[in-house]
């Protein structure tokens, strides 16, 4: 088992669904909102014929890449960011109430059995402007996600714990992908290695609902809260749910890439899902936003809507 990790330091990498493949690992990753540092993506089985650990990167809807790629880089640390902060020049730990919100966001999939909903996401730096609808059963390891961009083709994905069917209905095309087994390790989600480089270890979602993760497992946004200036600024009700609002300032890397100086996020108190997000530039103009229009938890799902049947007459673009 090999841990696949990518290092991001180039602000030009703005792909929201960069697809990495190595060995038996295939997965999408939002480079646009990822923090500067190492990101541990998952496990790649690299043994046997045709499973050598050679990285392939597919372009999605932006500029895709990685400054460095590594396998088994020894990121099994148990120390937290605050434990390492003094030696790496960071002297102010994350406030305890913000750290609690961050932990809930990083582990949101533990806090509901199923969820369905819809949201709009738009980032001006890379032109992302999409409506996303989703139904997820974490209990049964199933998901359905439909992404409708303002410009471009609709994409759908149906997934279970081992494979995903990607559908392009306007072109009558599809493809199937398999994934490596998930091995969840007890370790810090964010820490610094011996070179004082930040390392981020996001949870892998066994239901494989990647495009929905902006809301349902908002790891990238949770890692933004590592900055010591993040603070809780309010409590309110949004979509009938109790939420906590957190505000902070971007570091140089995210600010340069996103064109924003500050952010505010609204996090569901019970589940850690993200219900609203906005980022503003130095003039106070909103330059990115996520707005959830509907979300329902633990209402039950029909497993029939997660069928991975290949559409008859469609072209397999394997």
């Amino acid at each position: 088992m090999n841990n696949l990790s990518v290092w991001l330091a180039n602000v030009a990498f703005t792909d929201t669904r960069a697809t990495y493949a190595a060995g038996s690992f295939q997965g999408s990753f939002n480079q646009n909102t990822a923090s500067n540092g190492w990101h541990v993506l998952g496990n790649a089985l690299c043994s046997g014929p045709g499973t050598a650990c050679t990285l392939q990167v597919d372009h999605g809807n932006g500029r895709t890449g990685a400054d460095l790629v590594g396998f088994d880089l020894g990121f099994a640390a148990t120390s937290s960011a605050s434990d390492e902060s003094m030696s790496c020049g960071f002297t102010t730990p994350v406030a305890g109430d913000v750290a609690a919100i961050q932990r809930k966001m990083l582990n949101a999939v533990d806090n509901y059995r199923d969820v369905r909903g819809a949201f709009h996401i738009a980032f001006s730096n890379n032109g992302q402007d999409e409506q996303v609808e989703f139904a997820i059963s974490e209990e049964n390891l199933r998901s359905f996600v439909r992404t409708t961009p303002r410009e471009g083709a609709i994409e759908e994905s149906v997934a279970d714990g081992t494979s995903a069917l990607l559908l392009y209905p306007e072109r009558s095309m599809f493809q199937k992908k398999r994934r490596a087994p998930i091995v969840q390790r007890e370790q810090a989600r964010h820490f610094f290695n011996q070179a004082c480089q930040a390392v981020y270890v996001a949870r892998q979602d066994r239901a494989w609902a990647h495009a929905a993760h902006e809301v349902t497992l908002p790891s990238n946004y949770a890692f933004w809260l590592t900055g010591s200036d993040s603070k809780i600024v309010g409590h309110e009700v949004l979509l009938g749910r109790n939420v906590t609002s957190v505000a902070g300032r971007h570091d140089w890397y995210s600010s340069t890439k996103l064109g924003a100086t500050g952010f505010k996020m609204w996090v569901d108190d019970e589940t850690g899902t993200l219900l609203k997000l906005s980022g503003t530039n130095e003039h106070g103009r909103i330059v990115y936003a996520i707005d959830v229009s509907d979300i329902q938890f633990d209402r039950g799902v029909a497993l029939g809507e997660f069928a991975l049947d290949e559409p008859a007459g469609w072209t397999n673009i394997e």
Side-chain angles (χ1 to χ4, degrees):
M1 194 78 70
N2 302 77
N3 278 322
L4 170 62
S5 304
V6 296
W7 166 264
L8 294 181
N10 191 331
V11 296
F13 295 151
T14 60
D15 198 336
T16 63
R17 282 190 289 279
T19 301
Y20 294 91
S24 60
F25 174 86
Q26 295 200 42
S28 295
F29 177 59
N30 189 339
Q31 294 181 322
N32 193 47
T33 57
S35 300
N36 172 216
W38 285 104
H39 292 265
V40 181
L41 301 186
N43 305 302
L45 295 175
C46 301
S47 61
T51 56
C53 267
T54 301
L55 180 70
Q56 295 178 327
V57 181
D58 292 332
H59 293 262
N61 55 359
R63 294 188 60 178
T64 309
D67 295 276
L68 293 171
V69 177
F71 297 95
D72 289 334
L73 295 180
F75 291 155
T78 57
S79 58
S80 68
S82 59
D83 294 332
E84 299 282 340
S85 62
M86 293 294 290
S87 61
C88 292
F90 302 97
T91 57
T92 306
V94 180
D97 52 358
V98 175
I101 292 289
Q102 183 187 56
R103 285 193 297 273
K104 184 156 283 191
M105 295 173 72
L106 291 172
N107 297 291
V109 291
D110 292 337
N111 301 322
Y112 53 82
R113 297 186 306 277
D114 57 74
V115 58
R116 66 171 64 244
F119 63 91
H120 179 254
I121 180 170
F123 278 74
S124 60
N125 71 307
N126 64 353
Q128 182 184 18
D129 189 346
E130 299 171 334
Q131 182 72 16
V132 180
E133 303 161 77
F134 59 89
I136 303 168
S137 175
E138 289 295 334
E139 187 176 36
N140 296 287
L141 310 184
R142 300 288 192 273
S143 67
F144 170 81
V145 183
R146 176 186 292 116
T147 303
T148 305
R150 180 178 294 273
E151 297 181 0
I154 295 173
E155 296 182 11
E156 298 177 348
S157 70
V158 187
D160 59 19
T162 61
S163 60
L165 180 66
L166 306 182
L167 304 166
Y168 309 96
E170 293 168 314
R171 294 180 288 165
S172 297
M173 294 180 176
F174 74 93
Q175 62 183 143
K176 269 192 171 180
K177 294 185 177 182
R178 295 189 61 82
R179 69 181 300 174
I182 291 177
V183 178
Q184 298 289 4
R185 296 180 173 88
E186 292 298 325
Q187 65 183 124
R189 296 295 172 196
H190 171 237
F191 55 92
F192 298 96
N193 61 17
Q194 292 182 343
C196 285
Q197 298 167 329
V199 181
Y200 302 93
V201 187
R203 282 284 297 273
Q204 292 179 262
D205 178 15
R206 296 185 300 163
W208 216 7
H210 289 295
H213 285 170
E214 307 302 311
V215 166
T216 61
L217 185 58
S219 297
N220 279 1
Y221 308 112
F223 288 134
W224 288 1
L225 302 182
T226 300
S228 60
D229 67 341
S230 299
K231 60 183 179 180
I232 291 176
V233 294
H235 302 275
E236 55 191 279
V237 176
L238 189 63
L239 298 175
R241 302 190 63 83
N242 294 324
V243 300
T244 297
S245 53
V246 187
R249 294 187 63 81
H250 283 300
D251 61 14
W252 177 89
Y253 176 77
S254 294
S255 178
T256 302
K257 181 162 58 172
L258 300 177
T261 54
F263 64 84
K264 185 177 180 181
M265 60 180 71
W266 289 257
V267 182
D268 182 63
D269 288 344
E270 183 179 359
T271 65
T273 52
L274 183 66
L275 299 189
K276 187 175 180 179
L277 172 74
S278 65
T280 54
N281 63 15
E282 66 273 18
H283 304 295
R285 184 172 68 87
I286 295 176
V287 294
Y288 63 74
I290 294 176
D291 287 290
V292 175
S293 56
D294 177 56
I295 196 161
Q296 301 174 38
F297 296 97
D298 298 335
R299 302 286 183 88
V301 294
L303 294 184
E305 63 184 303
F306 305 120
L308 272 73
D309 301 328
E310 298 179 4
W314 288 28
T315 302
N316 187 345
I317 57 175
E318 184 177 16

